Amino acid sequence: MLELNNLTAGYGKSQVIFDLSLAVDSGESVCLLGPNGAGKSTVLKAIAKLATVHGGLIYFRGRDITSLHTHELLELGIAFVPQGRINFSSMSVLENLEMGGFLLDHAHTRSENIAFVLERFPALKEKIRQTASTLSGGEAQMLAIARALVMRPSFLLLDEPSLGLAPKTVAGIFDNLRQMVADGMTILLVEQNVHLALELATRGYLLAGGRIAFAGSALELKAPDRMRKLYLGTA
């Protein structure tokens, strides 16, 4: 479904990832793991056109999307939830969700899609008229994900959804993600919590220094020696 071929990318003239190749099949949940500064978030941003692509190609469903703009990716069914629970803070929950569907031509379809995501995140339904700035951290993360889902994407790029959240809130968000995968959503996930990531993902890639250090199944990635070597630099 998604394929990166020898991708080199960064910010401006600075390069962060180098000759990186990976693939995500339809219906899969794949994670990117690695220490801070490994380039995980940059991979997602390069796909979403929020980082500079210096070389290589990006394919989606066999189509070269390397030069497309972010709004064109949304039209193809690719949604991106960046790190940091980014919402329109002065707008209500409903207005944020409406912004998530701004590319939809029909108001009825937009309303139906908003109703669908509110069923997934009932806590937001209770806060529908509140401004985003009044939400808790967990609610703000739910809103960021829900807004991305209003377009009913087939592919979700998700960056650090558990960052800074309480364990109970994180558990609820990952329960939702597991249901999305069960319903056919394809996810490429960056996540600091290795255990959670490997519970959701079927396989993944370990990054170090902007390159892939290892690729394998979730079971292979759980090997303690491999993680210790990557994260702590020990044998």
Side-chain angles (χ1 to χ4, degrees):
M1 192 175 193
L2 179 78
E3 186 177 351
L4 309 185
N5 288 342
N6 302 115
L7 187 69
T8 297
Y11 306 97
K13 294 182 180 180
S14 174
Q15 295 186 9
V16 177
I17 56 174
F18 306 87
D19 297 319
L20 188 144
S21 296
L22 61 79
V24 182
D25 293 331
S26 179
E28 276 196 309
S29 176
V30 175
C31 62
L32 300 178
L33 303 174
N36 289 338
K40 307 181 297 296
S41 294
T42 302
V43 173
L44 299 192
K45 289 178 180 178
I47 298 167
K49 306 305 180 293
L50 299 176
T52 305
V53 174
H54 296 288
L57 296 170
I58 305 170
Y59 292 96
F60 183 67
R61 298 188 186 277
R63 175 182 175 180
D64 182 357
I65 63 167
T66 314
S67 301
L68 295 187
H69 299 291
T70 303
H71 71 88
E72 294 174 302
L73 300 185
L74 285 170
E75 293 168 356
L76 291 178
I78 302 172
F80 177 43
V81 182
Q83 181 184 144
R85 304 189 285 275
I86 299 172
N87 294 304
F88 300 99
S89 61
S90 63
M91 293 183 178
S92 69
V93 169
L94 178 59
E95 289 168 333
N96 268 271
L97 295 176
E98 289 173 338
M99 286 299 294
F102 77 100
L103 287 177
L104 295 171
D105 292 332
H106 301 290
H108 180 68
T109 301
R110 184 165 53 249
S111 296
E112 282 189 335
N113 289 3
I114 289 172
F116 169 79
V117 299
L118 288 174
E119 289 304 314
R120 283 200 178 276
F121 297 96
L124 296 179
K125 205 171 189 178
E126 299 171 6
K127 306 287 180 74
I128 195 70
R129 299 297 175 186
Q130 286 187 211
T131 57
S133 62
T134 67
L135 300 178
S136 68
E139 291 165 345
Q141 182 63 282
M142 291 177 200
L143 179 57
I145 296 172
R147 192 176 68 247
L149 296 180
V150 173
M151 287 292 292
R152 301 295 292 268
S154 57
F155 197 105
L156 185 63
L157 303 167
L158 189 54
D159 194 0
E160 300 281 17
S162 79
L163 189 64
L165 300 180
K168 184 177 180 180
T169 301
V170 171
I173 288 172
F174 271 78
D175 283 345
N176 250 308
L177 294 177
R178 277 187 282 273
Q179 186 58 55
M180 291 178 206
V181 174
D183 291 343
M185 176 80 73
T186 305
I187 297 177
L188 181 59
L189 169 73
V190 168
E191 174 52 54
Q192 53 157 352
N193 188 318
V194 174
H195 174 75
L196 275 175
L198 294 178
E199 286 298 317
L200 178 70
T202 52
R203 61 185 184 87
Y205 297 85
L206 290 178
L207 272 64
R211 304 177 189 274
I212 293 175
F214 181 81
S217 68
L219 184 61
E220 291 172 316
L221 287 164
K222 288 177 182 177
D225 290 347
R226 180 167 291 115
M227 287 297 175
R228 186 166 25 320
K229 182 176 181 181
L230 181 72
Y231 282 88
L232 302 177
T234 58

